[in-house]
Every structure is written in C-alpha cells, then in structure tokens.
Amino acid sequence: MLRQPDFGARQSVPLELDGVVPYPADAAQEYRERGYWIGETHWDVLEASATRNADTVAVCDERRSLTYRELRDNALSQAAVLSAMGIRRGDRVVVHFPNVVEFVETTFALFALGTVPIFALPAHRASEIRYFIEFAEAAAYVTVDKAAGFDYGRLAGELENEFDGLRTVVLPLGDAVAAAEHRESYRCEALPSDVAFLQLSGGTTGRPKLIPRTHDDYLYSVRESNRICGVTSDTVLLVVLPVSHNFTMSSPGILGALHVGATVVLAPNPSPDTAFELIERHRVTMVSVVPPVALAWMNSSLLQSRDLSSLRTIQVGGAKFSQSAAERIEADLGARLQQVFGMAEGLVNYTRLDDDATTVTTTQGRPISEADEVRIVDDNDRDLPAGQAGHLLTRGPYTIRGYYRATEHNAKSFTADGFYRTGDIVTRDERGYLTVVGRAKDQINRGGEKIAPEEVENHLLAHDWVHDVSVVGIPDEYLGERSKAYVVLRTEYAATPPSSLEIRRFLRERELAAYKIPDVVEFVTEFPRTSVGKISKNEQRTPQPEPAR
Ligand code: AMP
Ligand code: DBH
C-alpha cells in the first residue's frame, strides 16, 4: 500500500530554486507587516476548505464531480503515487490538461508535495511542451488520457522516449491511487514564501517566459480578488477559458472559489451551446470570458431559449473589450459587467461592482491593492501627468521581480528598482482607473490569446523555401487582432510559391499550438522599412488597399 509521504512538522528551510529573483528583504518584510502575506500555502487553503465544506461540491466537469473532501483525499492519493515515483519538493513538473477535474486534483497533489507545477495551456503541443521540459529541467509530465479531441497520452509516450529520466503520468491512475492510504491530517512541506508554481507569459521573445509566483504573493491576490468580486460560498463559477490560464486560476478564478468553499463548473469549451446549458443546469452565478466569447454570447440566438437568470457577474478581460460591446452586454446577458485587466506577472485591475456605468464601460479598472505601485512613463521613463497615455510600469506585493532563469531578458523587462515593464500603453485618471489604449511590446493579442511574433517567425524560418518573415497582428472585428505572416521566399522558389495552406500545414507539423498559426499568409518580395532600415511592422499592421486587378 502506498503511504502518503510523512513530513511530520513543516520544514523550516526555504526552497532554493536557481534562477528566481526574490522580493527584496525590506519589501517582503513590509508586505508581511501590512498583512498582505499571511503565511499560508495553497495546500493549507484546501485543507481548511475541506474541513469547513467537506460535502460541498468543489469542482465538476462533464464526467466527474468532487466534493471538497474528495478533492483533498484524491490529491493526497496522487501525491503518494508521485512521491513513490521519486518526485520531490522543488522538482518542476509540467501539468498539461484541458478543462477537466484532474487538473485541479493534480495541481493540489503537487502543492501537497511542494513540487512546482508549470502550467502549460491546453492548446500547447509538443513544440511548447518540449521546451518547458528542457528549459526548466522538469522531472515529470502529468496529463490526462485522450480528451477534448487530442491524444495527450500519446504525447506523454513520445516525451518519455525522448527525454531520459522524464517520468510521465497519464491520468486516471486507477489501482495505484485506489491503494493509497489516507491520512486525517497532513502537513505539506512547502513554505508560504516558496515558489508555488511557474505560470506562463504570452511573451514577446522566441520562447515563452516562465513566471515564478510564491504562495504568499499569489494567495494575497486571490483573497483580495474574492473580496473585490464578491465571491462567497454561494458562488457557482463557470470556467470556459483554459483551466491553467492566470485569469482562470486567480482572478478570482478556481483558486478564489476553492478558498471560500464555492463550486467550480468546468466547461469543455466556451461556445454558447455548451456554456448556456451549464449555466442553466448549475445555476451559475459568475463567469470569466475574453472579448470574442462575450460577443459570441451576446449574438447568440440561444439567449431566447436558455435561462441565464442565475448569472450575476460576467468578467471580461485578457484583451481590450470595446466600449460599444461593454455598453450592450448587461442588457443582452442580464448580468453585471466587470472588466479585468491582468497579467500572469502580477498586477490585476478590476472595475468594482459598485462603479458607475461609465467607469465600467470605458476603463479596465483599477489595481487590486493600495500597495500596487503604478507608473505611467514616456519613452525615457519620465513620469507623465494624469490623463496622458504612456508605458505602464508596476511593482507591488504580487508582481514578480524577474522571470525564471532569464537574467538577460530581466534587465530589459524590469527597471533597476524592480518595476515590471508591462509593455502596455495606458492612461490613468485621477482616481487611478486605467484604460488600455495600445501596446509597445511586440506581441499579438488574438482575442486574449497572446502570440509572440518572434516565436512564430523562428518556426517559419525553418522552412527551406523561406528567406525572411515578419509576423504581425492585423485588425479583426471579432478577435480584436488576428495574425498575419509576410513571407519572402528564396529567389529560386519565388516563381512557384507554396500555397498559404502549405505554410500553415508546415507549422502544424512542427506541433505548434494552433492559435499561433497565422490566420493570413502573404508572399511579398520585400518588407517596408523604417528610415533606419528596420522592418516597419507598423506599416505591415495597417491594412493595405487591395491591388487593382
Ligand atoms: P500575460 O503577460 O501573457 O499574462 O498577458 C497579459 C497582457 O494581456 C497584458 O499585459 C495586456 O497586454 C493584455 N490584457 C489583459 N487584460 C486586458 C484587458 N482587459 N484589456 C486590454 N489588454 C489586456
Ligand atoms: O490576460 C491575462 O493574462 C489576464 C487577464 C485577466 C490575467 O493574467 C488575469 C486577468 O489575471
């Protein structure tokens, strides 16, 4: 019989993880003294909820439903199995799940062990997963068997062959878990100041960046988010966005709901068909969506036939929500709008539930905490007066001071005194409300899904026929932006270009997440250039008149 690892009393040694930039000691001390960091871990939170709300449903999907007690016990059983496989505190483990209950079980099993999950997105494919394993020297890859139209189990098999020593776990575990012995009380080994997991950044560079978040800092943002968003044990939260996304996890998301004994309903996809039925069946009170999903819901004919009357709050974030849609949504869906402007690096802004209609429809909210320091600066880092658009810099009790193992990049992404350069262009009013008006970073925001052009360009450059590429975001009525690749072919192939379909197939065969594959491919003979000879992506982003025929 597998026994749960017995660590007895909590160890007092902080986790040493190389490549993490810690909060400076004086800032950490201040955040503790001011009561932001209260010294709890994610595992403590689940234990407390399981004690208070043992028989309440914590999380369900189409196939399974778990009470808080079951979630806790299953997580501990899985921890026993992982521990028997040699997985230890501080090991990095890639967690790769569609929206299924097993994601939550696994995440808490890893929290119990003090292991550090890397939250891959469901849409990620071999190319991204391989990179996470290599870069973070992951000890294991945990996933679920076939689900949501993709064979995750098969990918696990391939990875196991490819990476020496990588352990792969494909759920369900069956007998191994059933044999695990349960304990009444279990103390996890992690310390609240430890890195709890690595979240992902949409990024701007050739490779995604990993974001180390501590229990202390993340749980502060989760508790405050609950307060701001009115999440209580009566909340029924519907998750239609990818489970592992930072918005879904923490704003207030799955972790917020589990903190207060609420119920989380996982939807396999965000279509009105699926989501409306779940809202009706589970009497859902709250949901978080990206703008294209909000638009699809607002325009759905199913609104006539489904009962959405339980829905109180609809959060929209991840990309800019147009004012005109924001003005319509409450009437269309019968729920209050809350705009959310957040980032996995930290800072999250919300419009408040009692804000006036103009604030809710025209701003992206204000920061969670009075300790969130926000600066709006010009190109030379000089502070701008209220109302003027500039670069948003931020520092605070739940914003990282550096990406994981990224010394060189950190020097560019953070100021010397620890402000994160968000890459967003915003205005701030006298009250501190932010409105996103643009972006300085080279990133495409495809309806909330972030694409780093350089990453896609690198893949395209691997094509034998391709001489040069430039990937940009172009305006799209529905997504806000979609992606376009301008391709210059090698001269010997220019006369017989491949079709854009072939280029896209090439990328798919490189096992890249589907949302990164350009929506449009155009073959050109040269790129527009700026006066200093750099590619003018701005010009490429601007729609060009169709050539006369
Ligand atoms: P990431 O750093 O990958 O977590 O992505 C966060 C980025 O998403 C932000 O820096 C913004 O560029 C964008 N974003 C998130 N929410 C909003 C929003 N409500 N409006 C506009 N942009 C947003
Ligand atoms: O886009 C994001 O990354 C995001 C949006 C809303 C986020 O991380 C969040 C809320 O926490």
Side-chain angles (χ1 to χ4, degrees), residues 175-472:
D175 294 347
V177 150
E181 187 183 313
H182 284 154
R183 260 165 226 271
E184 281 311 306
S185 74
Y186 171 81
R187 296 224 63 168
C188 98
E189 216 187 339
L191 288 182
S193 55
D194 287 352
V195 169
F197 54 82
L198 294 164
Q199 191 45 277
L200 305 180
S201 158
T204 54
T205 52
R207 292 301 195 173
K209 292 282 169 291
L210 302 184
I211 296 170
R213 300 289 299 263
T214 65
H215 294 272
D216 267 332
D217 90 73
Y218 209 62
L219 282 169
Y220 169 58
S221 77
V222 167
R223 286 190 311 272
E224 287 303 299
S225 294
N226 271 349
R227 200 177 50 72
I228 293 167
C229 306
V231 174
T232 68
S233 58
D234 294 331
T235 299
V236 180
L237 175 76
L238 180 67
V239 170
V240 300
L241 300 178
V243 265
S244 48
H245 191 276
N246 195 62
F247 189 3
T248 310
M249 290 290 281
S250 67
S251 298
I254 296 175
L255 294 174
L258 297 182
H259 204 291
V260 292
T263 295
V264 178
V265 178
L266 302 177
N269 64 68
S271 72
D273 213 13
T274 306
F276 291 3
E277 195 269 322
L278 289 171
I279 293 171
E280 186 174 302
R281 175 145 50 104
H282 294 277
R283 304 294 298 158
V284 166
T285 64
M286 180 170 185
V287 66
S288 319
V289 298
V290 288
V293 172
L295 294 175
W297 288 16
M298 290 159 68
N299 295 331
S300 170
S301 57
L302 293 172
L303 282 176
Q304 316 305 325
S305 53
R306 287 293 184 190
D307 175 11
L308 306 189
S309 61
S310 56
L311 200 58
R312 275 183 228 129
T313 309
I314 178 156
Q315 295 185 308
V316 182
K320 174 87 176 218
F321 195 37
S322 76
Q323 186 182 337
S324 59
E327 282 166 355
R328 260 181 54 208
I329 192 169
E330 299 201 352
D332 286 356
L333 300 181
R336 180 174 51 199
L337 166 66
Q338 179 174 49
Q339 295 217 39
V340 190
F341 163 39
M343 52 206 77
E345 288 81 354
L347 182 71
V348 179
N349 304 275
Y350 296 103
T351 57
R352 301 309 199 251
L353 299 182
D354 55 0
D355 277 340
D356 61 86
T358 309
T359 303
V360 174
T361 53
T362 60
T363 80
Q364 276 66 58
R366 64 180 162 89
I368 286 181
S369 172
E370 74 266 359
D372 281 317
E373 299 171 71
V374 165
R375 292 180 59 200
I376 318 278
V377 301
D378 67 12
D379 290 344
N380 299 311
D381 282 357
R382 281 183 303 240
D383 290 284
L384 291 167
Q388 268 197 41
H391 303 274
L392 169 63
L393 313 184
T394 186
R395 184 171 78 172
Y398 60 97
T399 295
I400 55 163
R401 300 298 181 116
Y403 292 104
Y404 179 57
R405 296 185 171 173
T407 313
E408 217 172 291
H409 187 71
N410 285 340
K412 288 184 238 151
S413 294
F414 295 82
T415 65
D417 54 356
F419 278 81
Y420 168 53
R421 298 183 187 277
T422 66
D424 294 312
I425 307 287
V426 306
T427 59
R428 176 175 49 175
D429 68 18
E430 324 68 53
R431 304 169 303 163
Y433 281 76
L434 305 178
T435 299
V436 180
V437 298
R439 194 184 318 124
K441 54 190 166 189
D442 191 13
Q443 184 178 77
I444 300 165
N445 189 334
R446 189 178 181 279
E449 291 184 309
K450 320 299 188 306
I451 303 167
E454 188 183 334
E455 185 182 355
V456 183
E457 287 164 1
N458 287 342
H459 280 283
L460 283 166
L461 286 170
H463 193 296
D464 285 343
W465 291 24
V466 171
H467 169 67
D468 205 357
V469 290
S470 172
V471 174
V472 298

Side-chain angles (χ1 to χ4, degrees), residues 90-110:
D91 284 348
R92 277 77 61 212
V93 171
V94 177
V95 169
H96 191 201
F97 287 90
N99 291 13
V100 293
V101 163
E102 284 84 347
F103 167 78
V104 185
E105 286 171 322
T106 299
T107 298
F108 278 96
L110 296 172

